[in-house]
């Protein structure tokens, strides 16, 4: 006897394309939303602050929009606040500091990470300890030293401490990256007759561009609005950096709060633009040495 087998075709399961709601994912999105609001609101508030009159600012209505945008605050910030003079001083100090940090940190990181010598861990530890020294603890000793050697009240009195405080973190970033560079690259160069200087200049530096970009950005952000050292070591009006422009709008009997807000916006604008356009460089530079090539 033959048996008849019936095959029932199963209906295809309809797919709506919607992913099931995840409670954890919802919590993450809420957390990210709160983070975005808390980070962006101060910038938005500062922009609104810079467009208000003194009366609107002193009224206490922090969330109110300006009745009529006071663009004059920005012209006052540029003119009365000597914005371009202070901007030039800040650019000079920042540029020379970045050059010094890159030069010292790259040479030190190359020696620590690529040379086989027993004191390399000790030297690295000294640089790591340098990251723990508070800036305020060095003000009096540095003032005495700079006064004795005759560089107090010069841009050099700012550049040297800035380089000293930024070099440890730069060495930490660059040395971790250089350790991940394959040794075969250097061995091939040595076989071809390349010197240590040629290896550093033609191989190590080009490969280390991503973390060096990170060092430049972090150095720029750290010292652009630095005030404590600048207020301690600089007294000449023509040498002062950007944060001192705020003092131009504070007199004995009145304060132009709107112009102060406009000056702060103009002072923060270079940092915001650089970080906005180069933020991916920071991430790539930080993660560049995480995986060995």
């Amino acid at each position: 006897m033959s048996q008849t087998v019936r095959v029932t075709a199963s209906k295809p399961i309809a797919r709506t394309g919607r992913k099931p709601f995840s409670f954890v994912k919802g919590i993450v999105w809420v957390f990210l939303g709160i983070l975005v609001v808390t980070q962006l609101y101060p910038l938005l508030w500062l922009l609104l602050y810079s467009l208000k009159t003194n009366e609107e600012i002193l009224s206490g209505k922090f969330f109110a929009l300006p009745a009529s945008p006071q663009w004059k605050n920005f012209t006052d910030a540029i003119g009365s606040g000597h914005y371009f003079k202070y901007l030039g001083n800040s650019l000079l100090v920042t540029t020379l500091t970045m050059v010094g940090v890159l030069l010292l940190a790259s040479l030190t990181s190359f020696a620590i990470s690529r040379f086989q010598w027993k004191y390399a861990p000790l030297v690295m530890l000294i640089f790591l300890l340098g990251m723990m020294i508070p800036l305020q603890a060095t003000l009096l000793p540095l003032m005495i030293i700079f006064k004795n050697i005759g560089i107090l009240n010069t841009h050099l009195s700012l550049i040297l401490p800035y380089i000293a405080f930024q070099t440890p973190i730069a060495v930490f970033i660059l040395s971790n990256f250089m350790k991940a560079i394959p040794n075969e690259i250097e061995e091939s160069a040595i076989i071809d007759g390349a010197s240590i200087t040629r290896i550093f200049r033609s191989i190590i530096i080009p490969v280390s561009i991503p973390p060096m970009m990170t060092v430049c950005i972090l150095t720029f952000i750290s010292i652009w609005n630095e005030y404590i050292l600048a207020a301690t070591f600089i007294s000449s009006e023509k040498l002062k950096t950007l944060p001192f422009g705020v003092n131009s709008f504070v007199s004995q009997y009145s304060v132009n709060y709107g112009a102060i807000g406009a000056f702060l916006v103009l002072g923060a604008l270079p940092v915001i633009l650089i970080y906005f356009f180069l933020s991916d460089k920071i991430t790539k530079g930080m993660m560049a040495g995480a995986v060995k090539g």
Side-chain angles (χ1 to χ4, degrees):
M1 296 178 64
S2 60
Q3 296 180 347
T4 302
V5 179
R6 294 183 178 180
V7 179
T8 304
S10 59
K11 295 182 179 179
I13 301 175
R15 296 183 179 180
T16 60
R18 294 183 179 179
K19 296 182 179 180
F21 175 77
S22 173
F23 179 77
V24 176
K25 185 179 294 185
I27 295 296
V28 171
W29 278 107
V30 170
F31 175 77
L32 291 177
I34 295 174
L35 189 62
V36 169
V37 171
T38 55
Q39 295 298 316
L40 293 182
Y41 173 73
L43 298 177
L44 179 61
W45 178 85
L46 180 60
L47 180 60
L48 295 176
Y49 184 96
S50 65
L51 296 174
K52 293 181 178 181
T53 62
N54 275 5
E55 291 75 14
E56 290 176 322
I57 293 173
L58 296 176
S59 66
K61 298 178 181 179
F62 299 106
F63 299 97
L65 296 175
S68 177
Q70 300 297 311
W71 300 107
K72 184 178 180 297
N73 292 335
F74 285 89
T75 59
D76 291 341
I78 294 175
S80 303
H82 309 289
Y83 174 76
F84 289 109
K85 180 179 72 174
Y86 294 135
L87 179 65
N89 291 334
S90 292
L91 287 175
L92 175 64
V93 171
T94 303
T95 302
L96 293 179
T97 300
M98 289 192 297
V99 172
V101 169
L102 283 178
L103 180 62
L104 292 178
S106 58
L107 290 172
T108 304
S109 301
F110 180 62
I112 292 175
S113 60
R114 309 307 293 180
F115 291 178
Q116 301 295 327
W117 52 303
K118 62 180 181 179
Y119 295 112
L122 177 61
V123 174
M124 187 65 190
L125 178 62
I126 293 175
F127 276 97
L128 294 178
L129 291 175
M131 297 169 60
M132 305 177 187
I133 300 176
L135 183 146
Q136 293 80 1
T138 65
L139 293 178
L140 182 59
L142 286 178
M143 175 173 281
I144 296 174
I145 293 173
F146 291 160
K147 184 178 181 180
N148 291 336
I149 63 179
I151 65 171
L152 191 64
N153 195 29
T154 64
H155 283 153
L156 190 60
S157 64
L158 292 182
I159 294 171
L160 292 179
Y162 288 162
I163 292 176
F165 278 102
Q166 294 300 317
T167 298
I169 183 63
V171 170
F172 177 75
I173 294 173
L174 292 178
S175 61
N176 285 337
F177 177 84
M178 291 182 183
K179 288 179 183 178
I181 299 176
N183 294 326
E184 290 77 10
I185 298 178
E186 292 180 33
E187 294 172 358
S188 300
I190 292 174
I191 293 175
D192 292 337
S195 63
I196 296 297
T197 305
R198 180 64 182 276
I199 292 174
F200 176 75
R201 185 179 67 251
S202 302
I203 298 177
I204 300 299
I205 292 299
V207 172
S208 304
I209 291 299
M212 293 178 74
M213 286 292 298
T214 299
V215 170
C216 286
I217 296 171
L218 294 179
T219 301
F220 181 89
I221 294 174
S222 298
I223 69 176
W224 182 253
N225 289 322
E226 198 282 324
Y227 186 83
I228 297 177
L229 289 179
T232 304
F233 300 146
I234 299 295
S235 58
S236 175
E237 188 68 26
K238 65 179 181 179
L239 297 177
K240 290 183 178 180
T241 52
L242 204 57
F244 288 91
V246 175
N247 299 332
S248 304
F249 308 103
V250 180
S251 63
Q252 184 176 2
Y253 300 105
S254 64
V255 179
N256 190 344
Y257 294 104
I260 290 177
F263 194 92
L264 292 176
V265 170
L266 293 175
L269 191 60
V271 180
I272 295 173
L273 292 177
I274 288 177
Y275 191 84
F276 179 77
F277 288 108
L278 301 178
S279 59
D280 59 326
K281 301 292 184 182
I282 298 180
T283 305
K284 290 180 181 179
M286 287 292 190
M287 301 300 297
V291 180
K292 292 192 175 183

